[in-house]
């Protein structure tokens, strides 16, 4: 996120077509939003339980993970890390993800800033009670080998990233901001020796006895030293602060592409699109902000620089919140395959259509704004979520609510078999 959560919230282009958002857009799809659960304090994520479709988890920035069953918030936390974190501004408990084999392994992972302000990715297991984590099972991943630190050092308090997502390939993707301050003063997002300002991809399907808690997949793009010798964990370069990214779910007809919302500096918010398996890209920060030159006093780590498929300037919004390519049913066929996203500062929600070409690259088109039709209850949107049926939810940070998005009311069907019994 570009500014603090508690105040505001938080070269060459790949064949991309850029659109600048208009100041005013009109909705065309008659969506609605309804409060699904409430009573949260600074919620930043809404995550479906992979073993029980009635259960979701709400991550609160202050360190608690709350359990929601069929819209009711349960009194007992799934996990409470308040004593292990520093919270406020852009720091705190920021991400949660369940392992693909959670049903059998009970493993899940969280991302938080520890009391020293550094990023920790920690592994846990659930307890005998499936709605309560085993706090004693905590293991902090060690970076760069068994003797490496159990954290990623953060030089400043902002731009921590914090999202965790398993890809269709079964690997864990970790989006890290550039380390903070403004305009990435140490050029970290372009440094091959730094994990900051990158998308990481690691294999966490290792035994509990593994001293690092992960391995580097041998087919990660920089393992072979080309096009630049870099940390093996790195999947892609040049991110400023990826605040929510998701995969277009291939099990529901999606392409498997990774879609990243990257928060801008002073002028541009952007959406980056990466076809399935196309790691090794450089999204350009700090040399580029959106599709525009920014600070170019030092060269990029490598070329080409991949421009976003979509951007909007700060006359429209100031801090993008990434969402999902919608693959559910309740919003109607017209919305299936559209990418939904928001602006935290302005509390606006849009969707864009994605046209996929023969090379699996995407073009964005047909922007629709949904803010007005979703009503005056949105507040500052810190995240999106989907349930077991891939239906869409909004996380209102300022209002402490989870909102479910619905399509237009269905017209009752005409009953059949009618006959006149009295003329």
């Amino acid at each position: 996120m570009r500014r603090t959560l508690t105040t505001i919230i938080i070269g060459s282009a790949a064949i991309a077509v850029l659109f600048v958002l208009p100041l005013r857009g009109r909705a065309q799809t008659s969506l609605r939003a309804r409060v699904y659960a409430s009573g949260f304090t600074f919620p930043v994520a809404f995550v479906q339980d992979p073993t029980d479709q009635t259960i979701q988890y709400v991550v609160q920035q202050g360190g608690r993970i709350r359990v929601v069953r069929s819209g009711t918030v349960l009194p007992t936390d799934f996990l409470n890390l308040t004593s292990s974190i520093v919270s406020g501004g852009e720091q705190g408990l920021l991400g949660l993800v369940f392992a693909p084999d959670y049903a059998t392994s009970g493993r899940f992972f969280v991302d938080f800033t520890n009391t020293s302000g550094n990023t920790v990715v920690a592994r846990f297991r659930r307890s005998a009670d499936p709605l309560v984590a085993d706090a004693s099972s905590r293991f902090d991943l060690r970076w760069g080998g068994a003797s490496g630190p159990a954290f990623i050092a953060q030089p400043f308090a902002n731009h921590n990233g914090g999202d965790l997502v398993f890809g269709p390939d079964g690997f864990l993707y970790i989006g890290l901001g550039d380390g903070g301050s403004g305009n990435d003063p140490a050029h970290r997002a372009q440094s091959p020796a730094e994990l900051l300002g990158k998308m990481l991809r690691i294999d966490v399907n290792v035994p509990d006895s593994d001293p690092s808690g992960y391995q580097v997949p041998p087919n990660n793009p920089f393992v072979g030293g080309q096009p630049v010798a870099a940390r093996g964990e790195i999947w892609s370069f040049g991110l400023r602060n990826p605040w929510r990214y998701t995969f277009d779910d291939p099990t529901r007809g999606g392409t498997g592409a990774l879609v990243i919302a990257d928060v801008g500096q002073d002028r541009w918010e952007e959406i980056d699109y990466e076809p399935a398996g196309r790691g090794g890209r450089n999204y350009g920060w700090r040399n580029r902000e959106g599709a525009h030159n920014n600070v170019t006093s030092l060269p990029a780590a490598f070329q080409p620089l991949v421009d976003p498929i979509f951007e909007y300037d700060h006359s429209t919004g100031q801090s993008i919140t990434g969402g999902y390519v919608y693959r559910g049913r309740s919003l109607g066929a017209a919305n299936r395959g559209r990418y939904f996203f928001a602006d935290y500062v302005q509390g606006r929600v849009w969707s864009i259509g994605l046209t996929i070409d023969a090379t699996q690259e995407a073009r964005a088109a047909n922007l629709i704004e949904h803010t007005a039709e979703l009503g005056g209850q949105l507040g500052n949107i810190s995240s999106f979520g989907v349930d077991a049926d891939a239906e869409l939810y909004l996380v209102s940070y300022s209002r402490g609510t989870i909102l479910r998005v619905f399509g237009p009311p269905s017209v009752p069907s005409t009953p059949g078999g009618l006959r006149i019994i009295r003329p």
Side-chain angles (χ1 to χ4, degrees):
M1 295 164 283
R2 193 170 71 89
R3 297 177 174 83
T4 65
L5 279 164
T6 51
T7 56
I8 318 185
I9 202 172
I10 22 169
S12 305
I15 56 175
V17 176
L18 299 172
F19 292 81
V20 178
L21 290 170
L23 290 177
R24 297 179 182 270
R26 291 188 300 169
Q28 302 172 15
T29 54
S30 300
L31 301 184
R32 301 166 293 146
R34 182 183 306 158
V35 174
Y36 175 71
S38 61
F40 304 105
T41 303
F42 301 142
V44 294
F46 177 82
V47 183
Q48 175 66 46
D49 186 311
T51 64
D52 187 336
Q53 64 180 3
T54 70
I55 298 293
Q56 296 89 29
Y57 301 90
V58 175
V59 178
Q60 296 185 161
Q61 185 187 3
R64 299 170 65 191
I65 300 177
R66 311 296 305 278
V67 184
V68 180
R69 174 185 279 146
S70 301
T72 299
V73 184
L74 302 188
T76 302
D77 291 337
F78 180 64
L79 182 64
N80 188 330
L81 291 171
T82 54
S83 64
S84 300
I85 71 169
V86 59
S87 178
E90 294 181 22
Q91 298 175 315
L93 178 58
L94 302 174
L96 163 69
V97 70
F98 294 94
D101 65 349
Y102 179 70
T104 54
S105 72
R107 283 182 172 183
F108 65 94
F109 298 81
V110 296
D111 183 299
F112 60 86
T113 47
N114 64 16
T115 54
S116 298
N118 298 316
T119 289
V120 172
V121 177
R123 183 186 70 212
F124 287 86
R125 290 184 185 271
R126 65 172 179 261
S127 71
D129 181 345
L131 300 184
V132 177
D134 178 3
S136 68
S137 67
R138 173 179 164 180
F139 178 83
D140 298 351
L141 303 190
R142 305 192 71 92
W143 298 94
S147 61
F151 58 85
I152 298 169
Q154 292 284 357
F156 299 95
N158 57 335
H159 303 177
N160 300 298
D163 209 359
L164 299 173
V165 178
F166 277 97
D169 54 16
F171 296 130
L172 180 60
Y173 288 72
I174 303 168
L176 291 172
D178 63 9
S181 189
N183 274 318
D184 191 8
H187 207 42
R188 291 183 171 89
Q190 293 297 323
S191 171
E194 291 265 8
L195 297 178
L196 298 174
K198 315 296 194 303
M199 183 66 70
L200 312 183
R201 184 178 82 147
I202 59 175
D203 181 1
V204 293
N205 188 23
V206 298
D208 286 352
S209 59
D210 187 279
S212 296
Y214 75 93
Q215 295 179 351
V216 173
N219 61 345
N220 267 12
F222 301 100
V223 168
Q226 296 294 329
V228 63
R231 296 281 298 267
E233 297 93 340
I234 297 173
W235 178 252
S236 56
F237 273 66
L239 297 173
R240 183 179 179 275
N241 194 31
W243 188 250
R244 302 319 189 206
Y245 48 91
T246 51
F247 288 89
D248 184 8
D249 188 353
T251 69
R252 295 183 178 274
T255 65
L258 175 61
V259 188
I260 307 168
D262 199 16
V263 180
Q265 179 72 42
D266 296 321
R267 292 191 61 200
W268 299 97
E269 307 295 306
E270 70 181 74
I271 296 171
D272 299 312
Y273 186 93
E274 182 177 288
R278 303 274 182 88
R281 294 189 167 195
N282 189 342
Y283 293 106
W285 177 254
R286 69 177 185 175
N287 298 70
R288 304 274 279 176
E289 181 187 15
H292 311 269
N293 284 341
N294 186 51
V295 179
T296 59
S297 54
L298 293 174
F302 60 93
Q303 300 280 351
L305 304 183
V306 179
D307 280 343
I309 63 164
F310 196 97
E311 65 178 14
Y312 62 91
D313 68 26
H314 284 188
S315 67
T316 298
Q318 297 83 38
S319 186
I320 192 170
T321 297
Y324 286 82
V325 178
Y326 178 69
R327 294 294 174 185
R329 293 188 176 276
S330 74
L331 304 192
N335 285 300
R336 205 165 299 133
R338 294 182 64 83
Y339 179 71
F340 284 77
F341 64 100
D343 187 84
Y344 174 87
V345 177
Q346 297 297 327
R348 301 175 72 175
V349 178
W350 300 273
S351 68
I352 50 175
L354 299 173
T355 301
I356 313 300
D357 69 16
T359 71
Q360 296 302 301
E361 298 286 355
R363 291 185 296 109
N366 187 24
L367 171 73
I368 298 174
E369 180 165 12
H370 304 282
T371 309
E373 63 185 345
L374 293 174
Q377 56 190 329
L378 300 181
N380 303 109
I381 301 165
S382 58
S383 195
F384 289 74
V386 291
D387 64 16
D389 295 320
E391 298 304 337
L392 192 66
Y393 294 74
L394 306 174
V395 179
S396 177
Y397 180 84
S398 53
R399 295 179 181 267
T401 57
I402 306 299
L403 303 168
R404 179 171 174 177
V405 182
F406 292 87
S410 59
V411 177
S413 59
T414 302
L418 298 180
R419 61 189 178 90
I420 299 174
I421 59 174
R422 179 175 296 174

